[in-house]
Amino acid sequence: MKRLLVMNGPNLGLLGTREPEVYGRLTLADIGRTLDALAASLGVELEHFQSDHEGALVERVHLAARTGVAGAVVNAAAYTHTSVALRDAYLGTGLPFVEIHVSNVFAREEFRHKSLLADVSMGVVVGFGPVGYELALRGLVARLG
Ligand code: DQA
């Protein structure tokens, strides 16, 4: 069975209580459970990883690629807008991924309009709230075939 990584970056462990008017009331654990159920129906298996540390995210991409993970759903959070290292990790391993943001980053501050990941991703899901993770997973599975 295909294994996929769900990667979440800094402050996403605060989902549920963090700016609920922007990010909603679901926790990352809630989202993870929904994704696991969807994954089962799609015939894939998920590995979940959240970190507030850039290097830990980079190392997790390396590990995923080394251990035969087929692709990733990635919300790199603030590192989306700043991390050359994370971009290089995905480029360097060739691990295919879909970028997702809970909020509509294009309707927010200018610095959130730039993603260092989007142009090397398979696609981007933005602004659909937590359901965006499900859309991203469906898109990734469809594209991986
Ligand atoms: C986010 C958007 C980012 O700009 C922000 O830094 C986050 C969350 C989102 O899911 O909407 O932490 O990635």
Side-chain angles (χ1 to χ4, degrees):
M1 188 185 288
K2 212 169 265 169
R3 284 179 299 115
L4 303 174
L5 175 65
V6 179
M7 168 171 280
N8 281 287
N11 300 305
L12 291 171
L14 297 177
L15 284 181
T17 55
R18 173 193 186 194
E19 300 176 85
E21 65 290 354
V22 176
Y23 297 111
R25 297 248 175 229
L26 294 181
T27 66
L28 202 53
D30 294 332
I31 293 167
R33 274 190 294 275
T34 302
L35 286 180
D36 282 335
L38 175 60
S41 79
L42 294 172
V44 298
E45 197 181 321
L46 302 181
E47 299 178 5
H48 298 270
F49 184 73
Q50 188 275 326
S51 179
D52 298 324
H53 300 275
E54 187 174 14
L57 294 164
V58 168
E59 287 177 354
R60 192 63 186 81
V61 176
H62 298 175
L63 177 68
R66 254 199 333 267
T67 56
V69 167
V73 169
V74 181
N75 187 346
Y79 289 139
T80 305
H81 317 299
T82 63
S83 181
V84 176
L86 198 54
R87 174 191 176 85
D88 284 350
Y90 279 103
L91 271 178
T93 58
L95 188 70
F97 71 98
V98 173
E99 175 177 345
I100 182 257
H101 299 287
V102 175
S103 66
N104 180 356
V105 285
F106 298 107
R108 301 181 65 195
E109 305 95 319
E110 183 98 32
F111 64 81
R112 296 185 205 276
H113 299 183
K114 174 76 187 163
S115 167
L116 297 188
L117 298 175
D119 66 305
V120 295
S121 75
M122 292 177 111
V124 183
V125 178
V126 164
F128 290 97
V131 79
Y133 284 95
E134 296 169 62
L135 302 175
L137 179 59
R138 283 186 184 279
L140 178 65
V141 170
R143 285 287 300 279
L144 289 176

